[in-house]
Amino acid sequence: MLVHVRDTISWRLGFAVGAVLALAILSIRRFIPESPRWLLTHGRADEAERVVADIEAEVEKTHPQLPEPEGEPLAVEQRRHIGFGTIAKYVVQNYPSRGVLGLSLMTGQAFLYNAVFFTYTLVLTDFFNVDSSKAPLFLIPFAIGNILGPLLLGPLFDSIGRRVMISFTYITSGVVLIITGLLFTHDALSATTMTIAWSVIFFFASAGASAAYLTVSELFPLEARAMAIALFYAVGTGIAALSPTLFGALIATHSRTNVNYGYLLGAALMIAAGLVAVVLAVAAERKSLEDIARPLTAARARAGSSRVAPARAN
């Protein structure tokens, strides 16, 4: 039996569900062990040793003979806090090209998702005469495409490589978006075929966007992975913050051509990000994080530094 919920209540229930999930995550995180790398850099070497020992003991149950660690030992310094300012300065000074790559990927996917996903029901109701009560049902194929993209294409980012797959997914989603926009402009799509086209676009875009988050996290020092994601996501989303407003204004003109201008802008950002990845993406697959980016807390030769016992690079 379907239960009708008033419009003034339904959206509040949606927000409440998000709050419940957030509280659940806050509870679950208490039972998740910290990374040995994090523990080392925060002066908790004994805890790091216990975590690694527990992992090795579990693995030894099925693989009694563990291989020796590879790579040179790495000495690290204790450092309590690394802020956004430190991360931004480090990126500009040491990895400017990776910074351009991360910003391009985050901005492209943020604009596409914020502009298109959040305004699609308006397109359905204004241009395809879909009843407003049924329009949200067309978002279900979107969700399916978003799940299948990373699920089916995800393994290829390791087997084929980051540069190829990131470029492929971003550029492909941009090209399909251009084609969809042209068909939409010439009134060659129905609500169903438009939804199918968007599902294909987000099939590729979601895989690329998922890879963008992982790429940003692995291209920068291991102690700053979460902060790097937060920094680039915040800046990229900030750049694309007005995209729903822009699309809302274009839709309000009731002109398919004007709406397509927005689609073309989104496609241009995705394709541009893909081309940036062709040139600047790093082949990080199957490599140690320390081999990709030197840790911020890696010990440097200076007097008076407080060092933790050397930790192997892997």
Side-chain angles (χ1 to χ4, degrees), residues 29-161:
R29 67 189 291 270
R30 297 173 60 88
F31 303 98
I32 300 176
E34 294 289 358
S35 161
R37 291 180 172 95
W38 187 91
L39 292 171
L40 278 176
T41 58
H42 286 73
R44 296 160 62 176
D46 292 340
E47 291 182 55
E49 289 289 351
R50 286 198 296 270
V51 171
V52 173
D54 290 342
I55 295 173
E56 291 179 341
E58 188 66 27
V59 174
E60 284 178 340
K61 293 179 180 179
T62 53
H63 299 79
Q65 298 297 325
L66 296 180
E68 289 296 319
E70 299 177 357
E72 294 297 323
L74 175 68
V76 297
E77 298 173 334
Q78 296 179 18
R79 189 165 186 168
R80 295 293 177 182
H81 177 70
I82 300 174
F84 282 125
T86 302
I87 298 299
K89 181 179 179 181
Y90 187 87
V91 170
V92 171
Q93 291 180 344
N94 296 275
Y95 298 106
S97 62
R98 297 184 183 187
V100 172
L101 172 65
L103 186 59
S104 300
L105 296 178
M106 287 297 183
T107 301
Q109 65 89 23
F111 186 94
L112 182 67
Y113 273 84
N114 292 348
V116 176
F117 193 82
F118 295 147
T119 60
Y120 183 55
T121 54
L122 296 178
V123 173
L124 290 174
T125 56
D126 283 23
F127 294 97
F128 296 100
N129 298 317
V130 175
D131 187 272
S132 60
S133 64
K134 296 181 180 179
L137 296 176
F138 287 81
L139 295 176
I140 295 176
F142 269 5
I144 295 175
N146 273 277
I147 293 173
L148 292 180
L151 185 64
L152 298 179
L153 299 181
L156 300 180
F157 285 84
D158 275 331
S159 59
I160 296 179

Side-chain angles (χ1 to χ4, degrees), residues 5 66 145 155 167 201 248 287:
V5 180
L66 296 180
S167 303
I201 291 170
K287 290 184 179 179

